[in-house]
Amino acid sequence: MIGRVRGWRRGWQERTKLQRIDLYTRVTLCSLPWVFLLSWGLLPLGATLDHGPVAMALGAAFFAVNAVQCVLSNRNVAPAFAHYRGAEPFPPRRLRLPAALLVVLTGLLVALAAVGGIDDPGLSLLVLDLPLAFTVPYVLLVPVRTYLLHCAAFGVVVLGLLAAVGAPGGLLFGVAVSLLVVVLLVLVSTRPSAWSLTVMWQAEEARDMQARLAVAEERLRFGRDMHDVLGRNLAVIALKSELAVELAQRGNAAAVDQMVEVQRIARASQQEVRDVVRGYREADLPTELLGAKGVLEAAGITCTVEGADGPAGIGAPPAVQAALGWVVREAATNVLRHGDPRVCVIRLTTTAGAVVLEVENDGAGPGAGQGDGSGAGQGDGSGAAGGGSGLAGLRERLAALGGSLEAGPAGDGLFRVTATVPLTAPGGRPSPGTLSTEDR
């Protein structure tokens, strides 16, 4: 249970964090064209109001086409990310309209320069917004070298057209600097972000694959153990049953002996299966302490283990360690399920010939629902008579060794589970490491 909770909590936290980073990156890239449109793409166009109706018409058309280009850019960001990650190819037809709009925007910009509808500084600023919406998704679709070559070719065309309509050298220099700035800005803001997200998603997929492989490996191991236990015995049972049938058909009394042997082997096989299952279900105290510390810290809870290496830990008898291992497992699970703590302390001590385990956390505030020590609240929902894993089941396990369990608020917002187990178990009582009839 602790392993499942630990894996679920850690996986959920990592995936939620990654989804937030992914969303933040996509929103930022989608917002970038609109920020430039409403700043460098809008402010310079205000000068067209003073240069006649033709300049105003060209400026309005430039803004409208640029707005459509921003909408298309936002729609292409997600497919471009998928193409960059190798999830699915980007359909080339989605670039046809944005490319056509870029040509239209370039023509409108050159026309504004030709009619003198905008002053030289405003034109240099307007160039900052000219290719940005198109290049945000485009930079994810081609290699960096190809992107830089295409942008250089585009810059040469823009400078050539502006020179053809009589733009002065100072303006051409400003336009070249603006194009260089916007091209590099898109490159350094988009490609590294996409690379980082790709690496993080690949790491997440690797963790999922590792978890699935671990589960598959455990299934194979369990299947191998069951095959080793039952394979030979079932083959012997089958052969002796066939022999018993043949002897019975001949009226030979030895058939009874063969069936008695089959019965003995079947009972031995049943016990061997129980031994295999017991190995999967027994709680080991050192392992449970490490597991509890790991799962609590993975959930953001500071966990301290005291006395694990002392006589109360490694020096206790195996039956006592197994019983306390169940307590650690259930208590740590309940801290995650029923409380909202920040700190948890697991303490092992020896006193008066008994081992005392205390699991204390600060999640017993109002509404924490951590129980009252009578079996209500923390963990008792799963407790059932006959060896369940709740508080009631834990009390039965400890009682088999003459131990006791107390759970309840300890003051100052603390909740404490205290298990006490004598170092010498009462005679004639079964060890909690054995399986009851209901556990089987």
Side-chain angles (χ1 to χ4, degrees), residues 27-40:
V27 170
T28 301
L29 294 180
C30 289
S31 302
L32 190 61
W34 294 100
V35 171
F36 271 68
L37 174 66
L38 298 178
S39 55
W40 314 124

Side-chain angles (χ1 to χ4, degrees), residues 9 299-301 334-344 361-370 378 413 415:
R9 288 288 293 269
I301 302 170
N334 291 333
V335 169
L336 294 173
R337 294 175 58 190
H338 301 286
D340 187 20
R342 292 170 298 176
V343 177
C344 180
N361 68 86
D362 60 351
Q370 295 204 52
Q378 218 183 57
F415 186 90

Side-chain angles (χ1 to χ4, degrees), residues 8-25:
W8 180 85
R9 288 288 293 269
R10 180 178 299 174
W12 178 82
Q13 290 174 349
E14 293 293 335
R15 183 168 291 274
T16 300
K17 184 186 300 183
L18 184 55
Q19 289 174 346
R20 290 177 180 174
I21 297 175
D22 190 306
L23 178 61
Y24 171 79
T25 303

Side-chain angles (χ1 to χ4, degrees), residues 46-114:
T48 60
L49 299 176
D50 301 328
H51 293 80
V54 175
M56 292 175 57
L58 291 174
F62 185 92
F63 183 83
V65 174
N66 205 357
V68 176
Q69 184 79 296
C70 290
V71 173
L72 295 177
S73 176
N74 290 169
R75 292 183 59 188
N76 288 334
V77 164
F81 262 103
H83 177 89
Y84 182 84
R85 292 177 53 194
E88 56 180 311
F90 186 89
R93 64 179 182 277
R94 296 181 70 106
L95 283 180
R96 295 173 184 172
L97 182 56
L101 292 180
L102 181 60
V103 173
V104 173
L105 285 172
T106 304
L108 291 173
L109 181 70
V110 174
L112 278 172

Side-chain angles (χ1 to χ4, degrees), residues 120-121 123-124 159-160 162-178:
D120 291 352
L123 186 64
S124 297
L159 292 174
L162 290 175
V165 297
L171 175 60
L172 295 178
F173 178 77
V175 169
V177 171
S178 297

